[in-house]
Amino acid sequence: MNVLVLNCGSSSLKFQLVDSTTETRLARGVVERIGGQALCTYEPRHAPARKHAEPVRDHAGAVERVMRWLVGDGDGTGEGTGVLGSAGEVQAVGHRVVHGGESFRTHARIDAGVIRQIEDCMDLAPLHNPANLSGIRAARALLGEGVPMVAVFDTAFHSTMPETSYLYALPYQLYRRHRIRRYGFHGTSHAYLVQRFAELAGKPREGVDVITLHLGNGCSACAVRQGRSVATSMGFTPLEGLVMGTRCGDLDPSLVEHVALKEGMSLREMDTLLNKQSGLFGVSGLTSDMRELLDEEREHGDRRATLAIDLFVRRVKHYVGAYLAELDGAEALVFSGGIGENSPEVRRRVCDRLGWLGIELDPERNAALAPGTEGEVGVDGARVRIVVIPTDEERMIARETAAVLAGDRARG
Ligand code: ADP
């Protein structure tokens, strides 16, 4: 089945067309800077990537742009591409939806009721869910009611967390009244990593106890017992937990008022500070990009670059320790995301001096693993395996979309 996977951000649309039966990617691309002169990148499977700029008004315009590429109307330069010409129609659409609140413990086929429920979650994710809904509406308008669509929620994988893991130690009525709790994000990625690890280990998903580390621009850790999330580092929003590209992660909440008063900032400005100006970027004063920080450190010995990397690594270690305690030990530590997949140096620093926990990196294997490839980087026979698995959220969304629709068909 050809599944169009759509991931709408506030001013961008990422997409992939995936044959979910063979899990083959037929095309992918991104429309950035929606709302003005947009940057459009399209990469069909058997042809080179192409980029051009054109005005794209809104998400509906972006979805239209994508469909024109896929059916072969070209990119405005008169060139046809037509992945769908040879591969048939879009048979389903899988939408990444950031926040499913407590309403969605599983992914859901989209109908009017589901759209209403996603709207109800809007104040939980005011930046993300509106963009996701725009994508849903745009795809519905363009493709019609005949093409089934599925919402795949970032939060759903973590819905198995027990109360003790998702509750904050705040007055309980805040949870009752406003659903103030930890939700967790990156669920599609963690779910993919667990499934893939199970495949590699040759056992069912339900038999897997691991710690997964998604280390990209956004970063989160997840403790997985018997294939299910029992704890995760992101919380009510994606701000909590690990140090990230521009997010601070865990923080003493009293600092919000204190810094706001000292710096004369509004709550909104504080939110921007914590989400967009902190993390690797804020500490280094240079960049949010881990690769650039590692280069700075190596080439110029920049002290603040080292400090940012060290803070990042230390926080990851803390969560690894906490989750080993949470799980009574784990069989593997799984590294993923742009940093986890591509940086032997960060993996080395995270695993450094964790031998007494059963985590022992093999330096040669670690250094030799090609960026973006799957592989084992721990020493043979160690208590905890160390595995690198490149995440593939789009593949997982296509897989979940097909599974939801197959479930619907089975129920008649
Ligand atoms: P996103 O969370 O936006 O999907 P990615 O998963 O692509 O982002 O991760 C981006 C991060 O991965 C950046 O900090 C980038 O510097 C880092 N990264 C990519 N390649 C390398 C590398 N070879 N070494 C270190 N960091 C890398």
Side-chain angles (χ1 to χ4, degrees), residues 29-42:
V30 58
V31 182
E32 292 165 281
R33 299 196 213 134
I34 295 171
Q37 186 72 358
L39 198 61
C40 307
T41 310
Y42 178 54

Side-chain angles (χ1 to χ4, degrees), residues 363-393:
E364 274 103 51
R365 274 187 186 164
N366 183 46
L369 187 73
T373 57
E374 234 167 46
E376 193 97 35
V377 293
V379 302
D380 289 332
R383 211 157 53 243
V384 181
R385 292 170 65 182
I386 310 172
V387 182
V388 178
I389 302 179
T391 195
D392 195 337
E393 287 165 283

Side-chain angles (χ1 to χ4, degrees), residues 214-218 288-292 294 337-339 342-343:
H214 178 112
L215 309 178
N217 280 316
S288 62
D289 190 290
M290 180 58 92
R291 187 171 17 190
E292 289 176 15
L294 289 163
I339 300 171
N342 297 308
S343 176

Side-chain angles (χ1 to χ4, degrees), residues 324-357:
L324 282 172
E326 175 92 36
L327 294 170
D328 306 323
E331 62 188 291
L333 189 59
V334 180
F335 281 93
S336 194
I339 300 171
E341 292 163 23
N342 297 308
S343 176
E345 177 59 15
V346 172
R347 294 195 298 261
R348 184 189 69 73
R349 292 194 196 185
V350 167
C351 297
D352 188 35
R353 292 181 297 114
L354 295 186
W356 64 280
L357 285 172

Side-chain angles (χ1 to χ4, degrees), residues 30-101:
V30 58
V31 182
E32 292 165 281
R33 299 196 213 134
I34 295 171
Q37 186 72 358
L39 198 61
C40 307
T41 310
Y42 178 54
E43 213 179 314
R45 185 166 168 223
H46 291 303
R50 285 186 275 147
K51 278 184 190 215
H52 74 280
E54 73 174 49
V56 174
R57 204 181 52 253
D58 50 18
H59 285 96
V63 177
E64 208 177 297
R65 169 68 272 171
V66 171
M67 287 311 296
R68 269 193 284 135
W69 269 322
L70 296 177
V71 298
D73 278 358
D75 55 8
T77 60
E79 274 180 75
T81 45
V83 168
L84 282 175
S86 51
E89 299 294 307
V90 167
Q91 287 157 311
V93 183
H95 291 271
R96 174 187 181 215
V97 181
V98 168
H99 217 309

